[in-house]
């Protein structure tokens, strides 16, 4: 939320500096995200008077002006139709940067006449939308004055991040209340002017008491909807809101100033009275943002006899919006249920300043005062006559009283605070405290639920930095190991991945529905997510890693090697998992190999087996089986298993349709290792047996087999190794060939076998016997020794 320092000081009587206020905001839990002064960019512009205006000799629509900005006459060529002798405006000298034009002024010849600087319009300085002519200031404006100082633009804008539980700070007044409690000034109570109404109030009623418990309204007739006052337009412009008209600006100002959203209807565009009801399936509304929304049953709307005019508490409609021709209005001040607002906003993917406040919960006891303040502003700046107030329904004002023990500040919060000081803090925040410590929460603090919340209020105002550090008690002697076997496993896997050159990523456990869909969708979806992009608990680590890969590649990375250790959230349980994504160039182009080389499924398999080995899995017993699933490329993916049911991981190329969903081009390899599926090692004591190298030299033998194309090399290797488990210590494929000399539908697979003798060297007969057993074992898999 943004506001200016001057705006804050209209609610807080303080002499504190900007730095002290910024530090104080963060200290009490209102984190400051940024501070900037919009006037700094306009510092080179000054108040100037046009001394004379003569017709340009070479252009009918241009004038040659003599301008005094306090340093004597300057010649300026200007095309503004309102430029004339005696006009006081805003002058930019050569060297000044004009933000609205994105140019830096310099001395230049325009149609043969030298021009030194320019007289500026509001749009060119980005302080308004006016561009029909240059800015006109009052005659008494002091020539040579810095324009930001004259216009009050040197007012720093503070941007504060408000956590979802602090609905009371969604208005400048609430933030001022917190600062006053922290000792940075005195809170200025809002003035609620009496508004004398005449005649019957507007015709409003409620049919959806669950979604809209209270609907207050007041009419104003005979008004003129012109511009809002300059001070209001300046404040709205400073925080990035475009001034529109007095009626609209007043409601926008009330939303930010007091955290009280309102809406104004053009009464002349309504058919009958207004009713807060549930939408009917098929109804639509053209909203003020220019989009049309299809409504569903259960959404709270404001409608008249003709149809829907307002998505209740979120956004008004175009049909009943006010304009310059509006003379009669109905001012709505309602209370909408936070849950209903959140559900509707999520369903429509529609956000607004009003929604942000209503779904957090506005003050239900501020309807009458909020309506009175808004009506008074309308009467002051638009004129007209106010009607009486119509009050439909009853706001849910429930006073919550909590029995509180002041000792909790120390026992729960870790900071001993004098009870009198605690009472003063709570009362300064609006709480009522009795002598026996019965604390009543104010109506604007719906987040207060128990004594722990009161401790939080005391500690954050007193200063969380005042909480003394206290060491945890430690038992005497040597500390016992605290890491669980699962934590140790994750540490080994993390170190192994980093040692293999992978970069660790930490992604969100929540992803969007679109990201979860290629992986079978999520088993758990949040009813009230912080964002539509963080709605589903991830069923796989790959969506987050693919999204990170896409961001890195679009920022110029040529090779991405990412890994993450986290949890997958499946219907039956949380599953600890290690995910890997390999994208881009495995090897950069160079003079020896030519073009760059991309990652393939074999790279993914190598990573999977290496990481499983480091994690302690019995990789020699692994079987490669089938494709990994719909998210993987068929024929270029597989699973690593211990038997047909125990799946330790999946590897391969990501399916092209998944890559398209994540806006990725080219091939991407990936791995998922299911850490909880790795069987734990058996306890064998603390000492490892000493490594004893073999006493005799090993023997290598090569075999070339003709095998069907459908036979996986893994099955052949397993058969070869099982032919003589005592003598054969290793076997690997070193060549695969298909072509001349190989029958169609077959391939030649060459296998290197390592034989290790025990007590004595192999004899020729023993080697032949082992070779015969190897050939026989391969034959059972359909392999034939090549002649």
């Amino acid at each position: 939320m943004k506001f200016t320092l001057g705006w804050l000081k209209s609610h807080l009587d303080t002499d504190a500096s900007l730095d002290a206020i910024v530090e104080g905001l963060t200290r009490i839990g209102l984190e400051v995200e940024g501070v900037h002064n919009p006037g700094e960019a306009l510092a080179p512009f000054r108040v100037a008077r046009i001394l004379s205006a003569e017709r340009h000799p070479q252009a009918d629509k241009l004038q040659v002006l003599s301008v005094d900005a306090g340093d004597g006459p300057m010649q300026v060529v200007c095309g503004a139709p309102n430029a004339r002798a005696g006009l006081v405006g805003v002058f930019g000298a050569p060297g000044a940067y004009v933000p609205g034009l994105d140019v830096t002024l310099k001395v230049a010849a325009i149609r043969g006449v030298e021009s030194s600087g320019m007289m500026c319009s509001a749009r060119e300085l980005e302080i308004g939308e006016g561009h029909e002519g240059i800015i006109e200031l009052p005659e008494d404006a002091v020539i040579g004055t810095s324009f930001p100082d004259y216009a009050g633009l040197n007012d720093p804008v503070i941007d504060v991040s408000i956590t979802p539980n602090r609905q009371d700070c969604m208005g400048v007044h609430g933030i001022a209340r917190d600062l006053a409690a922290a000792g940075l000034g005195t809170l200025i109570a809002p003035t609620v002017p009496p508004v004398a109404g005449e005649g019957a109030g507007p015709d409003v009623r409620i049919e959806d008491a669950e979604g809209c418990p209270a609907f207050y309204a007041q009419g104003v007739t005979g008004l003129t909807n012109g511009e809002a006052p300059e001070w209001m337009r300046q404040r709205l412009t400073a925080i990035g809101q475009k001034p529109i008209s007095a009626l609209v600006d007043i409601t926008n100002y009330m939303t930010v100033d007091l955290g009280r959203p309102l809406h104004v209807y053009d009464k002349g565009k309504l058919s009958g009275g207004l009713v807060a009801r549930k939408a009917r399936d098929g109804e639509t509304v053209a909203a003020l943002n220019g989009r049309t929304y299809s409504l569903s049953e259960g959404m709270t709307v404001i409608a008249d006899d003709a149809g829907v005019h307002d998505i209740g508490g979120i956004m008004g409609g175009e049909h009943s919006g006010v304009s310059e021709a509006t003379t009669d209005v109905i001012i709505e001040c309602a209370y909408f249920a936070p849950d209903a607002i959140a559900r509707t906003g999520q369903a429509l993917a529609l956000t607004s300043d009003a929604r942000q406040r209503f779904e957090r919960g506005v003050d239900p006891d501020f309807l009458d005062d909020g309506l009175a303040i808004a009506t008074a502003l309308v009467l002051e700046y638009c004129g007209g006559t106010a009607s009486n107030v119509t009050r439909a329904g009853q706001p849910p004002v429930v006073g919550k009283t909590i029995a509180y023990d002041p000792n909790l500040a120390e026992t729960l919060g870790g900071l001993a605070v004098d009870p009198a000081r605690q009472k003063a803090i709570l009362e300064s925040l609006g709480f009522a405290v009795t002598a026996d410590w019965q604390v009543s929460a104010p109506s604007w603090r719906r987040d207060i639920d128990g004594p722990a919340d009161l401790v939080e209020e005391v500690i954050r105002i007193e200063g969380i930095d005042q909480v003394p550090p206290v060491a945890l008690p430690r038992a005497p002697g040597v500390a016992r190991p605290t890491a669980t076997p699962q934590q140790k496993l994750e540490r080994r896997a993390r170190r192994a991945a980093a040692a293999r050159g992978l970069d660790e990523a930490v992604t969100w456990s929540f992803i969007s529905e679109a990201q979860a869909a290629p992986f079978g969708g999520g088993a758990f979806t949040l009813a009230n997510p912080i964002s539509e992009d963080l709605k589903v608990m991830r069923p796989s680590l790959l969506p987050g890693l693919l999204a990170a890969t896409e961001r890195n590649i679009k920022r110029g990375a040529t090779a991405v090697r990412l890994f993450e250790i986290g949890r997958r959230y499946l219907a039956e349980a949380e599953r600890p998992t290690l995910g890997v994504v390999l994208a881009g160039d495995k090897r950069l182009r160079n003079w020896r190999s030519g073009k760059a080389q991309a990652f393939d499924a074999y790279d993914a398999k190598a990573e999977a087996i290496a990481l499983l080995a480091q994690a302690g899995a019995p990789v020699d017993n692994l079987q490669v089986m089938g494709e990994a699933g719909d998210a993987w490329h068929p024929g270029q993916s597989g699973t690593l298993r211990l038997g047909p049911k125990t799946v330790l991981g999946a590897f391969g190329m990501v399916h092209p349709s998944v890559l398209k969903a994540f806006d990725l081009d080219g091939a991407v390899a990936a791995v998922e290792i299911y850490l909880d599926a790795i069987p734990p090692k058996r306890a064998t004591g603390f000492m490892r047996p000493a490594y004893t190298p073999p006493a005799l030299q090993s023997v290598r033998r090569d075999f070339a087999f003709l095998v069907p194309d459908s036979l996986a090399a893994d099955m052949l290797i397993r058969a070869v190794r099982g032919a003589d488990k005592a003598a054969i210590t290793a076997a690997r494929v070193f060549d695969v060939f298909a072509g001349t000399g190989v029958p169609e539908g077959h391939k030649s697979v060459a296998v290197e076998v390592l034989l290790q003798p025990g007590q004595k060297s192999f004899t020729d007969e023993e080697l032949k016997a082992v070779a015969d057993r190897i050939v026989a074992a391969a034959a059972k898999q359909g392999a034939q020794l090549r002649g």
Side-chain angles (χ1 to χ4, degrees):
M1 191 184 108
K2 294 181 180 180
F3 54 91
T4 67
L5 180 62
W7 196 340
L8 176 67
K9 288 185 175 182
S10 68
H11 293 274
L12 183 70
D13 186 3
T14 181
D15 295 326
S17 66
L18 174 63
D19 290 341
I21 288 174
V22 168
E23 188 277 332
L25 286 168
T26 299
R27 177 167 51 85
I28 61 178
L30 303 175
E31 183 181 358
V32 176
E33 294 193 330
V35 179
H36 78 279
N37 187 348
E40 291 179 352
L42 301 181
F45 296 89
R46 291 180 291 168
V47 177
R49 185 188 303 276
I50 299 176
L51 302 177
S52 64
E54 304 293 339
R55 182 173 174 271
H56 191 290
Q58 302 297 328
D60 293 338
K61 294 185 178 181
L62 297 178
Q63 296 186 80
V64 180
L65 311 179
S66 176
V67 177
D68 180 15
D71 299 326
M74 301 278 287
Q75 182 170 282
V76 175
V77 176
C78 179
N82 63 331
R84 61 188 183 276
L87 181 146
V88 178
V90 181
F91 172 72
Y97 174 74
V98 185
L101 299 178
D102 191 24
V103 299
T104 300
L105 299 176
K106 60 183 179 180
V107 178
I110 301 177
R111 292 289 186 93
V113 176
E114 185 177 276
S115 179
S116 302
M118 69 179 293
M119 297 295 288
C120 303
S121 69
R123 179 181 289 183
E124 288 163 346
L125 298 184
E126 292 187 343
I127 60 172
E129 291 301 311
H131 64 284
E132 297 81 7
I134 57 178
I135 297 171
E136 295 193 36
L137 301 178
E139 287 286 331
D140 58 357
V142 179
I143 305 304
T145 303
S146 168
F147 177 64
D149 290 337
Y150 172 82
L153 298 177
N154 278 323
D155 192 1
V157 177
I158 305 171
D159 188 2
V160 177
S161 176
I162 309 296
T163 54
N165 64 314
R166 294 304 309 277
Q167 69 281 343
D168 58 305
C169 288
M170 290 300 287
V172 180
H173 184 75
I175 293 173
R177 183 192 299 112
D178 265 22
L179 288 171
L184 287 174
T186 303
L187 182 67
I188 301 172
T191 302
V192 182
V195 177
E198 300 178 8
D203 177 13
V204 299
R205 67 185 191 281
I206 297 174
E207 294 180 0
D208 178 19
E210 180 182 1
C212 179
F215 186 177
Y216 291 9
Q218 189 166 18
V220 178
T221 58
L223 57 79
T224 301
N225 185 24
E227 279 192 340
E230 180 66 22
W231 62 267
M232 185 180 293
R233 287 187 282 118
Q234 284 182 358
R235 289 181 178 178
L236 292 175
T237 300
I239 64 173
Q241 292 199 10
K242 175 183 174 181
I244 298 174
S245 68
L247 291 173
V248 176
D249 293 350
I250 286 170
T251 59
N252 290 339
Y253 179 78
M254 288 282 294
T255 298
V256 179
D257 188 56
L258 298 170
R260 175 64 255 186
L262 304 109
H263 188 63
V264 179
Y265 298 90
D266 187 330
K267 188 177 180 180
K269 299 178 181 178
L270 299 177
S271 300
L274 292 173
V275 56
R277 62 168 173 84
K278 290 188 180 298
R280 306 181 184 99
D281 281 334
E283 285 188 312
T284 61
V285 59
L288 288 172
N289 62 0
R291 297 179 57 186
T292 298
Y293 294 90
S294 297
L295 308 175
S296 60
E297 188 175 352
M299 297 178 178
T300 302
V301 298
I302 307 297
D304 62 5
D305 296 343
V308 176
H309 287 285
D310 187 354
I311 305 171
I314 299 180
M315 188 171 290
E318 285 185 339
H319 298 311
S320 59
V322 296
S323 65
E324 294 180 357
T326 299
T327 57
D328 302 332
V329 297
I330 295 175
I331 305 173
E332 166 212 297
C333 185
Y335 181 89
F336 295 95
D339 292 347
I341 291 291
R343 287 193 298 269
T344 299
Q346 291 165 17
L348 299 177
L350 175 60
T351 187
S352 66
D353 288 339
R355 175 191 166 182
Q356 290 176 2
R357 287 158 177 80
F358 277 122
E359 71 179 355
R360 295 171 186 233
V362 301
D363 183 1
D365 200 30
F366 194 64
L367 270 70
D368 271 316
D369 289 350
L371 184 58
I373 294 172
T375 303
L377 287 172
V378 170
L379 294 174
E380 180 178 357
Y381 297 110
C382 300
T385 302
S387 72
N388 284 306
V389 177
T390 301
R391 298 175 180 85
Q394 186 68 31
V397 181
V398 179
K400 182 174 290 186
T401 300
I402 301 167
Y404 179 64
D405 180 0
N407 293 321
L408 287 174
E410 182 174 11
T411 59
L412 185 60
L415 181 63
V417 182
D418 183 76
R421 170 62 177 156
Q422 294 191 52
K423 184 174 185 291
I425 289 174
L426 292 172
E427 288 179 340
S428 65
L429 292 172
F431 294 84
V433 184
T434 64
D436 60 348
W437 287 98
Q438 297 295 311
V439 181
S440 299
S443 57
W444 56 81
R445 292 303 299 272
R446 67 187 290 264
D447 59 304
I448 302 299
D449 192 53
D453 297 316
L454 300 178
V455 171
E456 180 184 358
E457 295 301 297
V458 170
I459 298 300
R460 74 179 181 86
I461 296 299
E462 188 66 10
I464 197 170
D465 56 330
Q466 301 298 316
V467 178
V470 178
L472 293 173
R474 178 174 179 177
V478 179
R480 295 181 177 180
T482 58
T484 66
Q486 182 64 41
Q487 289 172 327
K488 293 178 181 178
L489 172 61
E490 292 184 12
R491 289 177 185 174
R492 290 197 305 270
R494 179 175 284 108
R495 289 170 181 167
R500 292 186 61 79
L502 303 175
D503 298 314
E504 185 172 12
V506 179
T507 65
W508 294 105
S509 296
F510 298 101
I511 59 178
S512 67
E513 289 181 319
Q515 290 177 329
F519 299 87
F524 303 99
T525 301
L526 297 186
N528 185 26
I530 191 172
S531 165
E532 286 297 311
D533 291 334
L534 301 172
K535 186 174 184 178
V536 178
M537 300 190 77
R538 63 186 179 195
S540 166
L541 267 63
L542 296 186
L545 290 172
L546 290 172
T549 300
E550 181 260 342
R551 287 193 296 271
N552 279 273
I553 288 178
K554 286 190 173 180
R555 284 160 178 76
T558 57
V560 176
R561 296 173 170 89
L562 296 179
F563 83 94
E564 179 177 13
I565 294 179
R567 299 292 188 270
R568 294 177 299 135
Y569 300 92
L570 308 181
E572 68 276 7
E574 297 181 18
R575 300 295 187 187
T577 306
L578 188 158
V580 176
V581 166
L582 307 171
D585 298 334
K586 178 176 70 173
R587 184 178 293 112
L588 298 177
R589 61 182 181 176
N590 60 73
W591 63 273
R592 295 185 64 188
S593 59
K595 64 181 181 180
Q597 184 177 350
F599 292 99
D600 58 26
Y602 295 107
D603 296 312
K605 181 182 178 182
E607 292 293 340
I609 292 176
L611 293 172
L612 281 169
Q614 291 296 318
V619 293
D620 290 341
N621 300 327
L622 290 178
Q623 295 176 266
V624 179
M625 299 179 66
E627 282 80 19
D630 293 339
W632 303 82
H633 198 302
Q636 298 184 35
S637 61
T639 57
L640 295 170
R641 308 187 183 208
L642 292 174
K645 294 184 179 180
T646 305
V647 182
L648 300 191
F651 69 91
M653 306 306 292
V654 180
H655 197 285
S657 64
V658 177
L659 298 180
K660 184 177 180 181
F662 285 86
D663 198 19
L664 283 167
D665 295 325
V668 176
V671 175
E672 270 201 328
I673 294 175
Y674 312 130
L675 299 176
D676 58 335
I678 298 175
K681 288 187 176 181
R682 296 178 180 178
T684 57
F686 293 102
M687 294 294 291
R688 291 182 179 179
Y691 172 68
T692 304
L696 300 174
Q697 185 174 353
S698 61
V699 178
R700 299 178 187 271
R701 289 290 185 268
D702 295 342
F703 298 83
F705 295 102
L706 284 175
V707 302
D709 284 339
S710 59
L711 179 65
D714 176 69
M715 298 299 293
L716 179 61
I717 292 297
R718 290 175 63 84
V720 169
R721 292 191 59 178
D724 191 329
K725 295 183 179 179
I728 299 173
T729 57
R732 70 181 185 90
V733 174
F734 68 88
D735 183 57
V736 178
F737 174 74
T740 305
V742 177
E744 187 176 353
H746 289 70
K747 58 187 175 183
S748 174
V749 178
V751 179
E752 179 188 77
V753 180
L754 185 67
L755 306 175
Q756 180 61 54
Q759 300 299 322
K760 62 184 183 66
S761 297
F762 290 120
T763 64
D764 290 340
E765 291 76 13
E766 288 172 336
L767 289 174
K768 183 178 185 307
V770 173
D772 290 342
R773 286 193 290 272
I774 290 174
V775 172
K780 293 180 180 180
Q781 300 296 325
Q784 179 184 355
L785 187 66
R786 291 186 66 183

